[in-house]
Amino acid sequence: MTASLSGPRPVEAEIVRLAGRDVPVRWRRSSRARRLSLRIDAREAEIVITLPPRAEHEAGMALLRNHAVWALSRLDHLPAAAPWHDGGQVVLDGCAHGIVHCPDGRRGVWIESGVVKVSGEAPFLRRRLMTFLRQEAGHRLGARLTALTGLSGLRPRRLVIKDTSSRWGSCSANGTVMLNWRLVMAPVDVQHYVIAHELAHLRHMNHGPDFWVLVAALTPHRHMAETWLRRHGPALLRAA
């Protein structure tokens, strides 16, 4: 068990007994947080509690106990992790590709006839495949961002591809757009919506009515994409 969190501390984790079960809980103290919050990290299959600077550990525990049924239900409904392996599948732009290990190959990772081939030693297959997908995300998502930028006139300062545990995208006040590399596994229409959503934040740094009017002007895919991400997003976060 971790010690009581008082004052700024790095991220800490513990196993908490909740409704007769042991569940992993990660504590996060944030100087920017204005209130206690609780969420499920689908990638790590754990509960994350964010504490404002002056909040006590016990306040976070009370929040967790009050939302125990919800938190346990969300953990129980997470999809099983699906590790990439020879003979398995990986998804790009919403299309499944078989994974074939080619130990004697000399091309790193490449797509051939609808199959993703991975060279090198077997223990490094997952790492090499993840590197490849992150590179593909930079190319594919970057190209789609550029295309929508040209149509909308909304120009971000730069694009950053990251691996985040909950967000598919974000837009900072300085005009930097962040996209989660795992978005490259989603269908193209879903990618289009997330990109449009973040570009709209260049004009409206909120989710007010004017923001959603602009999103609707940029993409017709909002409702389909939001539904798809709710249903299938956790599986993308757990893929590796």
Side-chain angles (χ1 to χ4, degrees):
M1 303 283 284
T2 57
S4 175
L5 298 180
S6 57
R9 297 284 294 277
V11 173
E12 298 187 45
E14 63 179 332
I15 300 299
V16 172
R17 192 73 176 172
L18 194 63
R21 292 169 51 181
D22 290 335
V23 296
V25 177
R26 180 155 45 97
W27 298 88
R28 181 175 172 271
R29 188 173 293 280
S30 170
S31 61
R32 295 184 297 176
R34 297 183 179 181
R35 60 183 177 83
L36 286 165
S37 66
L38 181 154
R39 66 177 177 84
I40 303 300
D41 184 330
R43 189 175 65 191
E44 302 298 333
E46 64 184 8
I47 299 168
V48 179
I49 298 177
T50 299
L51 302 172
R54 297 183 181 277
E56 295 293 332
H57 180 273
E58 184 53 38
M61 287 298 300
L63 178 69
L64 177 57
R65 287 191 290 267
N66 289 337
H67 293 82
V69 173
W70 175 86
L72 292 174
S73 175
R74 290 292 301 274
L75 287 173
D76 289 342
H77 285 85
L78 287 176
W84 296 321
H85 59 87
D86 183 26
Q89 288 188 332
V90 65
V91 180
L92 268 171
D93 291 344
C95 299
H97 295 66
I99 301 171
V100 175
H101 181 216
C102 302
D104 298 326
R106 293 291 184 270
R107 295 172 57 185
V109 182
W110 69 100
I111 299 175
E112 183 178 310
S113 301
V115 171
V116 176
K117 297 188 175 182
V118 185
S119 64
E121 298 178 18
F124 302 108
L125 181 147
R126 291 171 62 190
R127 188 177 72 185
R128 302 191 91 180
L129 190 50
M130 183 175 290
T131 298
F132 170 76
L133 288 176
R134 292 189 69 145
Q135 292 171 343
E136 285 296 301
H139 297 320
R140 298 184 187 213
L141 299 179
R144 285 158 192 154
L145 175 72
T146 299
L148 193 49
T149 293
L151 292 172
S152 68
L154 297 167
R155 301 187 181 280
R157 184 175 181 181
R158 66 180 180 132
L159 169 65
V160 177
I161 302 294
K162 296 181 69 175
D163 189 5
T164 56
S165 61
S166 60
R167 291 187 176 187
W168 296 109
S170 65
C171 179
S172 68
N174 70 4
T176 297
V177 167
M178 182 282 294
L179 296 174
N180 189 327
W181 73 262
R182 294 171 183 273
L183 190 61
V184 79
M185 294 187 277
V188 173
D189 288 348
V190 175
Q191 299 172 22
H192 191 272
Y193 163 68
V194 174
I195 292 170
H197 184 114
E198 302 313 331
L199 285 179
H201 277 310
L202 293 172
R203 186 170 296 167
H204 303 288
M205 291 298 292
N206 55 59
H207 289 102
D210 291 341
F211 169 81
W212 290 114
V213 168
L214 180 55
V215 170
L218 295 175
T219 179
H221 307 304
R222 175 190 170 186
H223 298 295
M224 178 280 295
E226 289 179 343
T227 299
W228 194 96
L229 287 171
R230 280 195 301 272
R231 292 177 178 173
H232 305 290
L236 300 191
L237 293 172
R238 305 215 71 196

